Structure formats: C-alpha cells, structure tokens
C-alpha cells in the first residue's frame, strides 16, 4: 500500500474518535515545532534572562513550564498530575536541551492514537487539596494547545522586549487567526 493510499485509507476508514485524536495530536505537534524552532535559534543569555521590567520569568522558564505540562500528560498510568511536575531547571537555561526535549515530545505525541479516559489531578485553590476529575486525552490535548499558546504569547512579549522578531502567528490563538483571516482591516 502506498503512502497516499495508506493515508486515504486512514482518512476514510479510521474511526471518527481516532481521527479527532490524530488531528489534536497534529495541532499540538505543529505548535511545539514552532516553539522548538524559536528556542533553537536563541542565544542562551537571552533564553535564560529573566525580565524584571515585565515581572516575568525568562523565556526558558516559560518553555520549561510548557514542557512540564506535556510530560504530565504523556506519563503512562491513566493519571495526569499537573501538580507534581518535574521542573527541570536545565530546561530553563539550556536552549539546545529544551529544543531536544520539545522534539522528543513531538515524537511521543505522535504515538498517541486514541483518547482514553484519564484522571486529572490539579490544584485550583491555594488553601485546599488538589482536585481529581475525570477527563480524556483529547480534552487534555485541547488544554495543552491552549496553555501552550498562552505561554507562547508571553514568550513573544519577552522576545519583542529583547528585539527578537517573531512571525505574526507565534503565540496567537487559532480562533483569533481564523477571525483575522475573515475580517478585512
């Protein structure tokens, strides 16, 4: 079976849920590839430089935070625990290392083929215990995409503050990009 025939077969005969999961995986991989390309082009001093004026962590801190969330979802076991993230400080200071991890995440994501149920552990209150809720990998992929876009928008501001030019779509929500395509300015 050729690649084209194989892809057509998947498109027409793959169960709808698996098609949806694949689409969400592909959308997350596209976003992580944009981030990885940006990260790999950065000098370490800019990448790890906190911004006192904007009262934000460094670009690297935001990249680490994004990676931690993906790792929380990709760890096997049917439980996603956003509260117990690894927080590898090396990701925050070493752009090459962070880029390698982003590329590895894309590879791991590509193996996700269906949306199983999952339990999610997350704190929503500083004083109280973590909440555990039912979810599914598709829902968590939607969350990861939105969360990553949000942090890429912050990274964009930090980059602009350091005179780094980024594509206009970097850190912009897909819904906003769709809206802007359909509105004449």
């Amino acid at each position: 079976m050729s690649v084209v025939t194989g892809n057509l077969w998947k498109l027409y005969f793959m169960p709808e849920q698996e098609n949806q999961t694949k689409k969400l995986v592909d959308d997350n991989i596209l976003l992580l590839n944009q981030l990885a390309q940006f990260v790999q082009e950065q000098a370490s001093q800019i990448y790890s430089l906190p911004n006192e004026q904007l009262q934000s962590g460094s670009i690297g801190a935001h990249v680490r935070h994004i990676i931690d969330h993906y790792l929380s979802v990709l760890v096997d076991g049917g439980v996603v625990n956003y509260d117990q993230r690894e927080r590898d400080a090396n990701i925050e200071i070493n752009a090459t290392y962070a880029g390698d991890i982003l590329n590895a995440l894309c590879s791991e994501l590509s193996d996700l083929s269906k949306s199983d149920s999952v339990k999610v552990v997350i704190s929503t209150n500083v004083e109280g215990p973590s909440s555990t809720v039912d979810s599914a990998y598709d829902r968590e992929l939607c969350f990861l995409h939105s969360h990553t876009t949000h942090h890429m928008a912050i990274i964009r501001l930090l980059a602009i503050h350091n005179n780094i030019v980024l594509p206009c779509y970097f850190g912009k929500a897909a819904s906003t990009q769709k809206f802007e395509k359909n509105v004449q300015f």
Side-chain angles (χ1 to χ4, degrees), residues 108-127:
E108 289 282 324
L109 275 172
S110 67
D111 292 338
L112 192 60
S113 62
K114 62 181 182 147
S115 184
D116 293 333
S117 296
V118 66
K119 297 281 185 189
V120 175
V121 178
I122 190 165
S123 289
T124 57
N125 183 308
V126 175
E127 303 299 325

Side-chain angles (χ1 to χ4, degrees), residues 52-71:
E52 301 292 328
Q53 185 179 4
L54 296 177
Q55 297 180 1
S56 175
S58 65
I59 290 170
H62 287 279
V63 171
R64 193 254 326 135
H65 182 76
I66 290 167
I67 288 171
D68 282 349
H69 277 71
Y70 277 94
L71 290 173

Side-chain angles (χ1 to χ4, degrees), residues 8-34:
L8 288 173
W9 183 87
K10 288 178 185 177
L11 180 65
Y12 288 106
F13 298 106
M14 187 182 289
E16 187 176 319
Q17 187 62 49
E18 289 182 17
N19 270 335
Q20 184 62 37
T21 301
K22 180 171 179 1
K23 180 184 177 314
L24 291 168
V25 164
D26 289 348
D27 292 345
N28 275 273
I29 289 172
L30 178 67
L31 201 58
L32 290 176
N33 280 332
Q34 289 173 7

Side-chain angles (χ1 to χ4, degrees), residues 68-81 108 118 137:
D68 282 349
H69 277 71
Y70 277 94
L71 290 173
S72 295
V73 170
L74 291 172
V75 170
D76 289 338
V79 175
V80 174
N81 191 331
E108 289 282 324
V118 66
Y137 283 109

Side-chain angles (χ1 to χ4, degrees), residues 173-184:
S175 60
T176 303
Q177 291 180 57
K178 282 182 181 180
F179 175 78
E180 289 175 349
K181 282 183 182 180
N182 294 314
V183 173
Q184 294 180 358

